[in-house]
Amino acid sequence: MKVGVLTGGGDCPGLNAVIRGVVRKGTQEYGYGFVGFKDGWRGPIEGDTVPLDIPAVRGILPRGGTILGSSRTNPFKTENGVRAIKENLAKFEVDALVAIGGEDTLGVAARLYEEYGVPCVGVPKTIDNDLSATDYTFGFDTAVGIATEAIDRLHTTAESHMRVLVVEVMGRHAGWIALHSGLAGGANVILIPEQRFDVEQVCAWVTSRFKASYAPIVVVAEGAMPKDGDLVLKDAVSRDSFGHVRLSGVGEWLAKEIESRTGKEARTTVLGHIQRGGTPSAFDRWLATRFGLHAIDAVRDGDFGKMVALKGTDIVRVPIAEATAKLKTVDPALYEEVGVFFG
């Protein structure tokens, strides 16, 4: 058997650990051959491949990013995209695909399997941790660690100048990074996409902290919205092939609002792609490696149309379509729980 591997969507720490796990076990225990497709779904559409064997995956465990490259290519928005994939899988004698990605990448895998019979196994990857069928996605723990360290560092400069520091983190639809890093970093306000925020309330929390002679830190997810406003966009026109607009700027907008309403100096730090880069945490290496080992087991069993998922401490298989049908968002009760630290 020959197995194709691809990584799609935004890169994140841990992708290489999955590739390594798939190739090592598949080669050593099952005698499979492997081929890597470059840049997500672009690879199988254009027939752009790289060889994958044990020497190719040595030393990649601690590396961030992906040795296969990634993109947001959507075969269903590409002319003859699906036909090209099927033709190239036949050309390279690929019997099964392991697709590593988030909601969009796995959504494509689900459709290819259900509508066209392409044998796919999915591996959940997103720093946003918003796939509903798994307790955690790899990449999330690393992103939270990076954001928490940044917040820790910003506390000291905020206190030195007695100014407000607004930290914008990733999170288009789900506020998991903001919630976890904000709580771990001792933020005084945490704003997430699931709960529209009141700017006046934010300013009241900020003012109360200054009364206690303390410089506040506000953590805001990029997709957070004020009650009387909308998303802050980097570019209101351009969208990627999955229809997503580019978000950026809610942190800067909020800092200006806080400064004008409270009279306190406010500055913004946008962490952006810093959260995606660098070496994966120990937990993400552990989780990504286990996902890879179980993904190749699913291929061996012919259990296609499934995604490997973490449930408690066990790796299980769930339908890819189920995993991508609904996003996992922050429960209002959980958000209310951490509200005791606001202000």
Side-chain angles (χ1 to χ4, degrees), residues 45 47 75 94 101-102 114 130 157 169 174 200 208 235 247 253 291 319 343:
I45 290 173
V94 172
E114 293 177 350
D130 58 2
T157 186
V169 299
E200 284 297 328
S208 73
D235 184 342
L247 300 181
W253 176 86
F291 276 162

Side-chain angles (χ1 to χ4, degrees), residues 61-89:
L61 177 63
R63 286 177 57 182
T66 164
I67 62 170
L68 296 178
S70 190
S71 74
R72 297 188 184 277
T73 303
N74 185 349
F76 295 99
K77 294 293 180 66
T78 304
E79 186 175 358
N80 297 321
V82 174
R83 186 176 72 184
I85 287 175
K86 296 184 73 173
E87 289 175 353
N88 281 318
L89 292 181

Side-chain angles (χ1 to χ4, degrees), residues 101-179:
E103 173 195 9
D104 296 326
T105 301
L106 296 182
V108 169
R111 285 191 64 184
L112 287 174
Y113 172 73
E114 293 177 350
E115 299 176 20
Y116 299 93
V118 176
C120 295
V121 170
V123 177
K125 171 252 24 156
T126 167
I127 65 170
D128 291 333
N129 197 40
D130 58 2
L131 284 173
S132 60
T134 184
D135 290 348
Y136 284 98
T137 54
F138 67 88
F140 172 67
D141 184 71
T142 305
V144 169
I146 292 168
T148 301
E149 181 182 355
I151 295 167
D152 286 346
R153 292 175 180 273
L154 290 170
H155 272 293
T156 57
T157 186
E159 291 166 7
S160 297
H161 295 274
M162 287 304 289
R163 60 165 60 123
V164 185
L165 275 175
V166 179
V167 186
E168 182 182 315
V169 299
M170 285 185 169
R172 175 181 294 271
H173 302 295
W176 293 109
I177 294 176
L179 191 71

Side-chain angles (χ1 to χ4, degrees), residues 36-299:
F37 287 104
K38 292 287 290 180
D39 304 332
W41 291 110
R42 186 192 69 79
I45 290 173
E46 299 180 10
D48 191 357
T49 67
V50 293
L52 272 185
D53 54 19
I54 289 180
V57 299
R58 285 200 178 107
I60 67 173
L61 177 63
R63 286 177 57 182
T66 164
I67 62 170
L68 296 178
S70 190
S71 74
R72 297 188 184 277
T73 303
N74 185 349
F76 295 99
K77 294 293 180 66
T78 304
E79 186 175 358
N80 297 321
V82 174
R83 186 176 72 184
I85 287 175
K86 296 184 73 173
E87 289 175 353
N88 281 318
L89 292 181
K91 174 184 175 181
F92 293 104
E93 300 180 325
V94 172
D95 302 294
L97 268 179
V98 175
I100 311 165
E103 173 195 9
D104 296 326
T105 301
L106 296 182
V108 169
R111 285 191 64 184
L112 287 174
Y113 172 73
E114 293 177 350
E115 299 176 20
Y116 299 93
V118 176
C120 295
V121 170
V123 177
K125 171 252 24 156
T126 167
I127 65 170
D128 291 333
N129 197 40
D130 58 2
L131 284 173
S132 60
T134 184
D135 290 348
Y136 284 98
T137 54
F138 67 88
F140 172 67
D141 184 71
T142 305
V144 169
I146 292 168
T148 301
E149 181 182 355
I151 295 167
D152 286 346
R153 292 175 180 273
L154 290 170
H155 272 293
T156 57
T157 186
E159 291 166 7
S160 297
H161 295 274
M162 287 304 289
R163 60 165 60 123
V164 185
L165 275 175
V166 179
V167 186
E168 182 182 315
V169 299
M170 285 185 169
R172 175 181 294 271
H173 302 295
W176 293 109
I177 294 176
L179 191 71
H180 281 240
S181 64
L183 184 62
N188 309 114
V189 182
I190 302 171
L191 306 175
I192 62 176
E194 295 88 339
Q195 301 283 329
R196 283 182 175 262
F197 62 88
D198 183 338
V199 178
E200 284 297 328
Q201 178 62 73
V202 172
C203 291
W205 283 327
V206 165
T207 300
S208 73
R209 296 307 290 177
F210 277 114
K211 288 180 179 178
S213 298
Y214 190 83
I217 300 287
V218 178
V219 175
V220 57
E222 63 184 346
M225 293 180 285
K227 287 184 177 179
D228 56 353
D230 208 339
L231 289 171
V232 178
L233 307 179
K234 186 178 183 68
D235 184 342
V237 178
S238 66
R239 294 173 180 264
D240 65 22
S241 61
F242 291 95
H244 300 308
V245 293
R246 298 177 66 190
L247 300 181
S248 180
V250 66
E252 188 65 31
W253 176 86
L254 183 58
K256 291 178 180 178
E257 289 293 316
I258 291 172
E259 193 165 276
S260 66
R261 296 182 189 218
T262 67
K264 300 294 185 181
E265 187 181 12
R267 293 289 185 270
T268 308
T269 297
V270 181
L271 296 185
H273 288 78
I274 291 173
Q275 295 157 93
R276 289 193 184 281
T279 187
S281 67
F283 177 82
D284 279 341
R285 298 184 201 191
W286 175 87
L287 180 59
T289 298
R290 291 190 70 202
F291 276 162
L293 299 177
H294 284 262
I296 199 63
D297 284 346
V299 170

